[in-house]
Amino acid sequence: MIKKLDILILRSFAGPFFATFMIAIFVLTMQFFWLYIDDLVGKGLDPGTLAYLTGLVAVTWVPLALPLALLLSSIMTFGNLGETFELVAIKSAGIPLIRFMRPLLFLTVILSAVAFLFANNIIPVANLKLNALKYDIIVKKPAFDIKEGVFYDKIEGYVIKIGKKDEDDSTIHNVVIYERNYTLQDNFMVAESGVMRITPDQRFLEFELHNGWNYQESGNRYSTNTEYIRLGFKDYKKEFDLSSFKLNKTEDSLFKYDPKMLSIRQINKALDSLGDLGNKYYSRSVHDLANFEGFVKYRDSAWPASQIQPVKKIKNLAEVIPDSLKIQVFDRAFSSVSSTKSVAELASADFASKTDMVRKHWIEWHRKITLSFACVVMFIIGAPLGSIIRKGGLGSPLIFAIAFFVLFNMLNTFGEKFAKQGVTSVFTGMWLSSIVLMPIGIFLTYKAMKDSQLFNKEFYYRLIKRVGKKK
């Protein structure tokens, strides 16, 4: 009986989970392409590169797609069971809600562990390769495409204009080519017609021009004695280097120091190397200030009170400085204060930068755990919520799932932003979503165990009607 119940629950859960997981991955991946659409369009990326980019993006979204899939699929599963009165039959047999949630809770814990291993070992590598590929695509020039009547300047050192192209997209007419010469005057070439083709190795653009003129002028730009050359031709071949249009591969090591590219072990090592910033910068500041302010070295001296001679109180320091030395003393004081200020500002900026780096490392350290724990939180919300609303399909479950996931994502975003800005501690910021949503899940579980009518509109209608009669 118990084993058959577990199998029933798992089978009911498997289909919705895989479907919602794939949908979540697809939506989150499309979000990336919508964000970088301007950098991808017109680059002439081959299908292999696009498939590789899509795969890397999809992999990086797995830890976030898992909580969403668990939330929606658990609502759908328990909603379907409630809608078909299977939950009523199970409860009438004396089996509590927690008992038939148990197999899915164990599965959720396993998925949470898988999500952690994925985030710790695979996501850093995927992020490293994705950032390198994304950089290569962004800096890549747009795909080669010369349009009629438009000056094309994407080839380094040249500006090309084609008056007309035939239907074969190869035969061209009224060709104008400007070549940068970096001397007195740029070279200038015109031709009545020609053929435009790309060499088989994709390295060069080849123009085979007919019936044209080549104009060149050289000499000293500060002199009127220059040399002007005009060459006519019937056939002329011109080649343009297209190597700048290729997608160059950047080494992954260029991005390896970003905390997002590190595992927990590597983050711990990096944090250990950063050390105790407070003591380190205090010692550094004392050492740097001692070079400009002589009194710093006496800050810890314990002079006996008997050796300190009483001095006359003065209202202004200028009273004890001879007139002949005032200008020199004030200049040296101003210079010393300016140097001290510069050293302090430099140390402060460096300390803020290092503190920000430490904070980013701790944020990534916590992120790998919080996103994994979010799987459990989303299930604890979704399972009792589905048993309360008792609606299957993609109607009501999808609405509730979107509402809770938006709340989860907003809390995650705000918490991370607060942690980065130092408004809250990193722990509080990164665990904010779990701190807020976990009590909600426990509350929903309690209500589901008590067969609450929390989302039953008839219950609220009767409640309002009863209150109205009492008035």
Side-chain angles (χ1 to χ4, degrees), residues 146 148 162 164-173 175 193-198 205-210:
I146 301 179
E148 293 182 357
I162 295 175
K164 183 181 179 182
K165 287 197 291 186
D166 289 349
E167 293 182 358
D168 60 4
D169 207 35
S170 181
T171 305
I172 53 179
H173 304 274
V175 183
S193 62
V195 177
M196 178 180 65
R197 66 173 69 91
I198 297 178
L205 171 66
E206 198 173 75
F207 274 26
E208 190 176 311
L209 304 174
H210 309 298

Side-chain angles (χ1 to χ4, degrees), residues 38-288:
D38 293 336
D39 298 313
L40 298 174
V41 171
K43 296 298 180 72
L45 302 176
D46 59 277
T49 302
L50 284 174
Y52 182 57
L53 175 64
T54 304
L56 289 176
V57 174
V59 166
T60 57
W61 283 119
V62 167
L64 190 59
L66 271 176
L68 176 58
L70 281 166
L71 174 63
L72 181 54
S73 58
S74 59
I75 295 176
M76 291 174 62
T77 299
F78 285 86
N80 284 327
L81 292 174
E83 191 174 17
T84 57
F85 298 101
E86 292 179 81
L87 280 181
V88 177
I90 294 172
K91 289 181 179 179
S92 63
I95 301 174
L97 175 68
I98 297 296
R99 172 60 192 85
F100 60 81
M101 281 177 56
R102 190 173 66 183
L104 291 185
L105 182 59
F106 287 157
L107 179 62
T108 301
V109 172
I110 294 173
L111 290 175
S112 179
V114 170
F116 171 75
L117 294 175
F118 204 88
N120 189 50
N121 300 300
I122 298 177
I123 296 299
V125 179
N127 275 329
L128 185 63
K129 295 186 178 296
L130 176 61
N131 277 268
L133 181 60
K134 189 168 64 176
Y135 172 80
D136 293 338
I137 292 174
I138 290 174
V139 301
K140 182 183 183 295
K141 290 186 177 180
F144 175 75
D145 184 20
I146 301 179
K147 301 184 183 299
E148 293 182 357
V150 177
F151 286 97
Y152 185 84
D153 59 354
K154 302 302 181 184
I155 300 178
E156 185 68 29
Y158 295 92
V159 177
I160 304 171
K161 179 184 177 184
I162 295 175
K164 183 181 179 182
K165 287 197 291 186
D166 289 349
E167 293 182 358
D168 60 4
D169 207 35
S170 181
T171 305
I172 53 179
H173 304 274
N174 301 326
V175 183
V176 180
I177 300 175
Y178 294 92
E179 181 179 0
R180 189 174 297 168
N181 199 22
Y182 298 101
T183 55
L184 180 65
Q185 185 69 34
D186 292 343
N187 296 338
F188 176 58
M189 184 184 299
V190 295
E192 293 181 3
S193 62
V195 177
M196 178 180 65
R197 66 173 69 91
I198 297 178
T199 57
D201 58 3
Q202 306 289 318
R203 292 182 57 193
F204 297 96
L205 171 66
E206 198 173 75
F207 274 26
E208 190 176 311
L209 304 174
H210 309 298
N211 300 324
W213 295 91
N214 190 358
Y215 302 92
Q216 300 178 8
E217 186 175 3
S218 60
N220 192 338
R221 68 174 60 195
Y222 302 105
S223 172
T224 58
N225 186 18
T226 61
E227 183 180 20
Y228 179 77
I229 302 173
R230 185 180 71 168
L231 297 175
F233 58 84
K234 288 187 177 180
D235 298 297
Y236 187 87
K237 183 181 286 187
K238 181 71 175 177
E239 289 186 341
F240 304 91
D241 188 7
L242 298 180
S243 59
S244 61
F245 290 87
K246 291 185 177 181
L247 183 66
N248 299 315
K249 180 173 174 54
T250 304
E251 292 295 330
D252 296 343
S253 57
L254 183 65
F255 305 92
K256 68 179 182 180
Y257 297 107
D258 193 308
K260 293 182 179 179
M261 320 302 173
L262 305 177
S263 64
I264 283 185
R265 181 181 61 82
Q266 293 168 329
I267 290 175
N268 288 334
K269 187 175 180 181
L271 289 171
D272 184 63
S273 64
L274 289 171
D276 186 357
L277 293 180
N279 292 331
K280 183 186 296 185
Y281 275 86
Y282 175 77
S283 302
R284 172 184 163 180
S285 299
V286 170
H287 178 269
D288 291 343

